[in-house]
Amino acid sequence: MDDSKNPLRIVVIGGVAGGASTATRARRVNSTADITMLERNSVVSFANCGLPYHVGGEIEKRQSLIVAKKELFWNRFRILVKTDCEAVKIDRVEKSVHVSDRETGVTSTLPYDRLILATGAEPITPDYCIPMPSNAFHLWTLADMDGIIAELDTGKVTNAVVVGGGFVGLEVVEQLHRRGVRVTLVERNPQILTRLDRIFAKMVENHIASKSVAMELGNPIVSLKLENGKAVSATLKDGRSLPLDLLIVGAGVRPRTLLASECGLTLGTEGGIEVNDFMQTSDPNIYAVGDIVEYQNGVTGKRGLNPLAGPANRSGRIAGTHAATGASNRMGPVLGTSIVRVFDLTAACTGLNERGLAANGIEFRTAIIQAAHHASYFPGSQSMQLKILYSPEDGKLLGAQAVGGEGVDKRIDILATAIHFGATVFQLAQLDLAYAPPFGSAKDPIHMAAFTACNDLQGTPALALPNADLTDLQIVDVRTASERDNLPLPGAIAIEVDDFPSHLSELDSERTTVVVCHSGKRAHVAASWLRSSGFKNVSNLTGGMSIRSLS
Ligand code: FAD
């Protein structure tokens, strides 16, 4: 589509995840194109996901965060990178970008044949932070990170407040704690990590609390007290005041779409740029990738924002190919698969949670299991809680969440793969997964979750929800006496699982019965006895009392 005398001019605005992926892919499929990448900051292609870890010193060298310098882009790819250059206007008629050099203030015009918008998202600043006090920071750029580290290095930071219990907020909490700072996490929602359902978020909250990090949930900051331009305390909604030396604001992001909207490109329902499967906007010569676009969701089919690095890089590959050659594969759907380490715990999810499914009118059922990440007899096994959500009609997987130690990442990625390919819980139960004692179990947590869900759908037995109303039901508690003492379940008939077969006659086979144990495993055995003994309506409390106690 181009010839060497008149090379195709590709201009990329934004030089980090999506932009750099687009530009380098375009070069790999088109050796003659004239490719320019504009970046308003002084550094391109830096690892923004690594920023929190340098704050805490876990990534020791700042230099490690610079993935590729502008010289490398030129030497290896012949991509011209212009840093400190901000695109300020797009002229779609002239097919040019107006560029302002942030160092000199000089404005110039750059013509394009194909334009790629990769301007990312921008952090939201709550009203009480406008203007930002000198000791308040987002953590979005290298400059933000440098500012936080400089503040910490004064040695005067005793108390820090982190606003926002999302992924970045939690990473910052962990890293500030690592530096010996007393941290309070403030989240306006009643739970952290809103991509997780309440119970799974609660597991992470409990773990954070065990590290002596204070949390204010559902109790947002309403104002700051300032002294000499510095925030010295934050007043919460309930009127209490938190002293602070450092404030980190991780209150969410919004797509940076001003350039796109000003030149009349169509925006989607969530305020991101509308694109087709080749990442073309409503103007086919202009592409958009990364945090600014609305991707198709793999569960609902609807388009929406999903500001994550994976989709940014994948969409860059599609746009780079299409812009440079006129054809490409299609961008696949996005599931919002995400993961975070919070001290010794890992939390991860994929697909939709209960709120998301309900909001979209999608019916679902839920199975929760507790399992060891590898054979429990092999030294070092760590436990995980795994939840899958699936269709009551055909068992199609709709979402998954996991919280635990090692192996959470592997299970969520397996589940994301399964959802991507439209698998049902019946197919999940058949997966042939690698096993040796140091790595997994012959019946992997994935299989256990799938078996539990298959039982639920086939009534062998069905599952009751963790917060099920047990009033007026026959509740059978098969835990040991000490377990019952630790976590009592009033009104339950206690029969330990190993005594079960000889006590069946004590139970009423006509009554609706829920069997309960600590995690759901022993209850399954007992419930199976009841079913095969003629009990008409038996279910197993999914996740057992350990999960119900969090509901
Ligand atoms: P960005 O990578 O943000 O790049 C956009 C670039 O465009 C910016 O450098 C910006 O300066 C530039 N720009 C904007 N406007 C203009 C203009 N007018 N002219 C020129 N340049 C412009 N995601 C995960 O999946 N996992 C993680 O663990 C994770 N951790 C994160 C941790 C932190 C601290 C942060 C900040 C983000 C994290 N993310 C994570 C999110 C991930 O980094 C983003 O989803 C991804 O970088 C988006 O890529 P992008 O290209 O759309 O935008």
Side-chain angles (χ1 to χ4, degrees):
M1 65 188 298
D2 62 325
D3 65 60
S4 51
K5 282 190 198 138
N6 203 7
L8 184 75
R9 293 164 303 184
I10 299 177
V11 174
V12 180
I13 306 177
V16 188
S21 293
T22 307
T24 50
R25 177 65 181 172
R27 171 57 75 226
R28 287 196 293 273
V29 293
N30 184 332
S31 60
T32 59
D34 178 350
I35 306 175
T36 304
M37 189 162 78
L38 302 172
E39 170 54 55
R40 66 199 288 273
N41 288 325
S42 53
V43 178
V44 281
S45 200
F46 71 96
N48 30 19
C49 306
L51 299 180
Y53 301 101
H54 185 54
V55 169
E58 201 170 341
I59 295 176
E60 285 179 19
K61 293 192 184 129
R62 185 182 189 277
Q63 193 55 28
S64 316
L65 300 172
I66 313 297
V67 179
K69 291 187 177 163
K70 62 198 259 187
E71 292 77 13
L72 182 141
F73 278 97
W74 180 252
N75 294 339
R76 190 176 295 175
F77 297 106
R78 288 295 186 267
I79 292 170
L80 179 64
V81 174
K82 295 187 170 191
T83 49
D84 296 302
C85 283
E86 179 163 12
V88 289
K89 187 181 164 197
I90 297 166
D91 186 332
R92 286 170 56 199
V93 179
E94 292 290 324
K95 289 173 80 175
S96 67
V97 181
H98 294 218
V99 183
S100 165
D101 186 314
R102 297 181 89 196
E103 281 187 335
T104 62
V106 173
T107 309
S108 58
T109 305
L110 193 60
Y112 67 82
D113 298 307
R114 305 285 179 270
L115 177 66
I116 288 90
L117 303 180
T119 49
E122 59 193 343
I124 292 170
T125 307
D127 289 347
Y128 58 77
C129 259
I130 301 173
M132 284 281 265
S134 61
N135 58 340
F137 301 89
H138 297 292
L139 182 51
W140 207 247
T141 61
L142 284 164
D144 295 333
M145 179 191 75
D146 293 340
I148 295 168
I149 293 174
E151 203 68 30
L152 290 167
D153 287 348
T154 61
K156 291 179 184 159
V157 177
T158 307
N159 295 302
V161 170
V162 175
V163 175
F167 292 99
V168 175
L170 295 190
E171 287 170 355
V172 174
V173 165
E174 185 197 63
Q175 295 299 314
L176 291 177
H177 183 273
R178 186 184 155 92
R179 288 199 58 156
V181 176
R182 202 181 302 140
V183 188
T184 302
L185 174 65
V186 179
E187 166 59 58
R188 72 189 161 111
N189 291 305
Q191 70 167 71
I192 60 168
L193 293 176
T194 50
R195 285 181 187 244
L196 300 183
D197 287 318
R198 178 81 204 93
I199 290 174
F200 275 61
K202 182 84 183 156
M203 294 172 197
V204 185
E205 289 163 11
N206 289 347
H207 185 65
I208 293 173
S210 77
K211 301 290 175 184
S212 303
V213 171
M215 274 172 291
E216 296 292 341
L217 304 178
N219 191 20
I221 293 175
V222 289
S223 64
L224 296 176
K225 184 175 173 202
L226 302 182
E227 276 174 19
N228 301 322
K230 281 195 165 204
V232 292
S233 67
T235 305
L236 299 169
K237 190 178 164 201
D238 69 4
R240 282 180 304 122
S241 171
L242 298 175
L244 64 91
D245 308 298
L246 176 68
L247 179 67
I248 310 288
V249 183
V253 296
R254 66 165 76 87
R256 213 189 286 260
T257 50
L258 191 63
L259 276 177
S261 58
E262 281 184 350
C263 73
L265 298 180
T266 306
L267 300 186
T269 49
E270 294 188 1
I273 300 174
E274 204 173 277
V275 287
N276 64 16
D277 288 350
F278 305 111
M279 308 313 296
Q280 284 168 299
T281 66
S282 50
D283 178 336
N285 292 315
I286 304 182
Y287 296 73
V289 301
D291 288 357
I292 46 170
V293 304
E294 295 196 356
Y295 302 107
Q296 187 184 24
N297 184 283
V299 176
T300 63
K302 293 181 187 167
R303 292 201 170 252
L305 296 167
N306 232 318
L308 290 165
N313 280 277
R314 293 200 301 280
S315 59
R317 181 180 167 85
I318 301 290
T321 311
H322 203 275
T325 67
S328 72
N329 297 332
R330 289 171 186 275
M331 176 69 189
V334 166
L335 293 170
T337 308
S338 21
I339 188 160
V340 64
R341 186 194 71 192
V342 189
F343 298 104
D344 315 316
L345 268 194
T346 304
C349 59
T350 185
L352 263 61
N353 63 11
E354 290 187 9
R355 264 187 317 282
L357 290 167
N360 282 283
I362 301 172
E363 293 210 9
F364 61 92
R365 289 194 62 86
T366 297
I368 300 174
I369 61 133
Q370 206 177 81
H373 89 289
H374 64 46
S376 48
Y377 59 80
F378 192 84
S381 92
Q382 299 182 13
S383 94
M384 77 175 72
Q385 320 277 341
L386 185 56
K387 167 174 180 170
I388 56 175
L389 303 125
Y390 45 95
S391 162
E393 268 172 33
D394 55 6
K396 192 171 172 188
L397 277 165
L398 303 168
Q401 295 159 41
V403 170
E406 281 186 33
V408 161
D409 53 346
K410 162 166 143 176
R411 273 56 185 219
I412 278 297
D413 280 346
I414 291 172
L415 289 161
T417 308
I419 297 174
H420 180 87
F421 289 112
T424 66
V425 293
F426 303 105
Q427 291 166 322
L428 199 64
Q430 299 299 330
L431 284 186
D432 194 20
L433 302 175
Y435 160 64
F439 302 103
S441 297
K443 282 188 280 190
D444 192 85
I446 290 287
H447 295 125
M448 296 309 293
F451 294 159
T452 308
C454 293
N455 284 333
D456 178 39
L457 293 177
Q458 293 170 331
T460 55
L463 298 171
L465 287 176
N467 59 354
D469 180 3
L470 302 179
T471 323
D472 297 334
L473 304 184
Q474 177 167 249
I475 315 162
V476 184
D477 188 341
V478 299
R479 294 176 298 161
T480 61
S482 67
E483 286 177 298
R484 294 196 303 272
D485 286 345
N486 283 341
L487 211 52
L489 181 58
I493 302 164
I495 309 174
E496 291 189 24
V497 69
D498 292 337
D499 298 333
F500 211 73
S502 51
H503 284 75
L504 288 179
S505 59
E506 295 166 20
L507 300 171
D508 182 348
S509 62
E510 295 301 315
R511 289 187 68 194
T512 300
T513 304
V514 177
V515 190
V516 179
C517 68
H518 180 70
S519 68
K521 229 174 181 176
R522 283 167 291 168
H524 174 66
V525 175
S528 301
W529 272 114
L530 294 178
R531 266 195 65 255
S532 52
S533 309
F535 280 61
K536 296 209 172 55
N537 193 344
V538 182
S539 56
N540 174 1
L541 187 81
T542 194
M545 281 303 287
S546 63
I547 294 293
R548 185 174 174 83
S549 63
L550 298 172
S551 69

